[in-house]
Amino acid sequence: MSVTAPAGFEAAGVVAGLKSTGKPDVAVVVNRGPRKIGAAVFTSNRAKANPIIWSQQVIADRVVEAVVLNSGGANCFTGSFGFQTTHQTAEKAAELLGVSAGDVLVCSTGLIGTGDDVFRAKVLDGTAQAIAALSADGGDLAAQAIMTTDTVAKTAVVSRDGWSIGGMAKGAGMLAPGLATMLVVITTDADLEALEADSALRAATGRTFDRLDSDGCMSTNDQVTLLANGASGVKPDIEEFTAALVELSQELAVKLQGDAEGASHDITIEVRHAVSEKDAVEVGRSVARNNLFKAAIFGNDPNWGRVLAAIGTTGAQFDPYDVDVWMNGVRVCTAGGPDRPREEVDLTPRATHLLIDLRIGEATATILTNDLTHDYVHENSAYAS
C-alpha cells in the first residue's frame, strides 16, 4: 500500500498516455488530514525543472494538501510553456479537490527538453482521472505511475506503536547526490509540527538518499516530500520518528540502488575510522565516482590500487600509506601495501562490499553505488530514441 498505509491518505495511478507502454503515468497523493503538514527537499542542481521551481514556492508555508506526479516527460527546459503547464496542473488538482493551488506540489520525470500541447492535455486529463480514482488502496498504482526506466515499483512501510510511515520512490538512472534522480513521496499519520517534519526529513535524506551515488549524474527533477497529518493522534518522540524515517528512507535508497540502469553489482562502500563524517563521505564518494574502479568491479577484478588512487584525490585527512582495504571480506591491502592474494576475493555475487579503513579517527559513513557496465552505456546511448 506504500503511501496509503498511514491513516488519512488516498492515492491513485492512472494511464494518461504520456508513455508508449500503456502503463500508469500520472499519480496523485492526497492528505485528508486533519493536519496538512508538508516538508520537501529538492535537487541542488542549478538547472531545475519547472515542477521544482513551482514546488519550492508551494512548500514555503509548509502546508501541502496534495502531490501530483507524472512520468513520461520531465517538463524541464520547456520555457514559459512548461511553467504554465505545471501551474495549470496544480490549478486543476486544486479545483477538483476544493483546495488552494498554492498547496499542491507537482513532480515530473522523464526526458528533458520535450513538451507540447498534447503533453499538457494528457497531464491535465490524467490529473482529473487520478483524482476521480483516489482511494485508500491506491498506493501501489501510484508507485507504478511514477516509474520511468525503473523495472519495479519501489515502496516501503515502517510501523511503530500507534503510527506509521509509508513511502514510494522512483529512480534508476542519473543517481547522484543532491538526492539522485528520484521522486519520493513519504506519508505519516504521526502528529508532527512543521519544523519537526522538516528537520526529520533533512536528517533522513542526508544519511540515505544523498549517499546514493550510482553514476555521478545529478538530475534536474529530484524531490523528496514528506506529508504528515496527525491522523493517528499519536505524537512520537522526534528522535524516534527520525530514526523510523531514516529506516524507511534507507530501505527505499537500497531499492533504488538495486534497480540502477544496467548494473550488475550493488556496491556498498563503508569508510571507517575517519577524522570526521564529512571526510568519510568524501572518501567513499571518490571511489563511487571512479569509473576505473567501477569498471573493475564489473569485470570481477579486485583492483584495490584503484581504490587508493581514488581516495588520494580527496582533501580528507589520512595517510595513504596507512590504509587498509577489504573487498567482500578479504583484506587485500594493509598499511598501503598488498595483503591477501587477489584470487581470494569472490566478486561474482551482485552484492559487493568495499571496506576502507583510514585508521586515523572514529567517524564512519557508507556510500551506495553500482558498477559501470556495457548495459548502462547502451541504455543511456539510446534514451531519447
Side-chain angles (χ1 to χ4, degrees):
M1 292 172 59
S2 70
V3 292
T4 52
F9 291 95
E10 294 180 347
V14 299
V15 178
L18 292 168
K19 296 188 291 195
S20 60
T21 59
K23 296 181 179 180
D25 47 24
V26 173
V28 175
V29 180
V30 175
N31 180 0
R32 295 300 190 185
R35 305 192 70 181
K36 306 294 179 70
I37 301 296
V41 288
F42 305 92
T43 180
S44 56
N45 196 330
R46 290 167 55 202
K48 302 181 190 300
N50 288 303
I52 295 293
I53 297 170
W54 168 265
S55 294
Q56 286 180 317
Q57 298 173 10
V58 169
I59 204 67
D61 65 357
R62 298 189 176 91
V63 175
V64 177
E65 297 271 2
V67 186
V68 180
L69 312 95
N70 78 268
S71 58
N75 192 10
C76 179
F77 291 117
T78 47
S80 59
F81 172 88
F83 189 78
Q84 291 166 9
T85 299
T86 298
H87 195 169
Q88 289 181 27
T89 301
E91 288 180 328
K92 171 63 73 173
E95 174 190 352
L96 296 173
L97 292 170
V99 301
S100 167
D103 294 330
V104 178
L105 297 173
V106 179
C107 303
S108 296
T109 181
L111 188 63
I112 293 172
T114 61
D116 54 22
D117 289 333
V118 174
F119 171 81
R120 174 187 285 176
K122 289 180 177 179
V123 170
L124 296 178
D125 183 60
T127 300
Q129 288 184 54
I131 289 174
L134 285 169
S135 77
D137 298 318
D140 290 338
L141 279 175
Q144 294 174 34
I146 62 176
M147 295 167 57
T148 49
T149 57
D150 305 67
T151 64
V152 294
K154 302 165 182 70
T155 63
V157 176
V158 171
S159 297
R160 293 293 185 265
D161 188 16
W163 55 274
S164 63
I165 310 174
M168 66 179 188
K170 66 79 50 183
M174 293 181 77
L175 292 172
L179 298 183
T181 188
M182 60 182 68
L183 297 183
V184 181
V185 177
I186 301 170
T187 59
T188 183
D189 52 16
D191 186 6
L192 303 175
E193 299 302 321
L195 290 178
E196 290 177 327
D198 183 77
S199 175
L201 182 63
R202 293 180 187 280
T205 55
R207 293 168 56 186
T208 59
F209 297 122
D210 270 341
R211 294 189 183 178
L212 174 62
D213 199 337
S214 180
D215 58 12
C217 299
M218 188 187 299
S219 175
T220 56
N221 290 63
D222 310 334
Q223 182 171 327
V224 180
T225 303
L226 170 64
L227 306 178
N229 63 13
S232 68
V234 178
K235 189 171 184 62
D237 175 79
I238 190 58
E239 291 186 3
E240 179 187 0
F241 178 81
T242 301
L245 186 58
V246 169
E247 178 183 334
L248 178 130
S249 299
Q250 183 67 13
E251 182 177 346
L252 290 175
V254 169
K255 289 181 177 181
L256 292 169
Q257 177 197 26
D259 198 27
E261 290 173 347
S264 65
H265 289 80
D266 300 330
I267 308 167
T268 300
I269 303 173
E270 182 183 357
V271 181
R272 292 182 184 172
H273 298 123
V275 168
S276 66
E277 186 176 11
K278 178 182 178 182
D279 274 8
V281 170
E282 183 180 1
V283 166
R285 209 179 296 290
S286 72
V287 179
R289 292 188 165 188
N290 187 281
N291 285 339
L292 288 175
F293 165 76
K294 292 155 76 75
I297 298 300
F298 169 61
N300 297 329
D301 175 13
N303 193 333
W304 57 267
R306 292 179 177 177
V307 175
L308 293 186
I311 69 176
T313 66
T314 71
Q317 296 182 57
F318 64 89
D319 180 353
Y321 299 98
D322 191 30
V323 172
D324 291 352
V325 177
W326 303 67
M327 288 186 172
N328 279 359
V330 178
R331 191 172 69 178
V332 289
C333 164
T334 185
D339 191 10
R340 301 302 304 166
R342 298 171 188 245
E343 292 74 22
E344 293 185 8
V345 181
D346 182 9
L347 289 176
T348 56
R350 184 177 179 98
T352 303
H353 184 261
L354 174 67
L355 171 60
I356 304 169
D357 191 338
L358 299 181
R359 297 163 55 126
I360 193 172
E362 298 300 324
T364 185
T366 298
I367 303 294
L368 304 179
T369 192
N370 304 91
D371 54 349
L372 179 59
T373 70
H374 301 304
D375 288 343
Y376 175 84
V377 175
H378 174 73
E379 184 163 347
N380 284 283
S381 68
Y383 184 78
S385 61

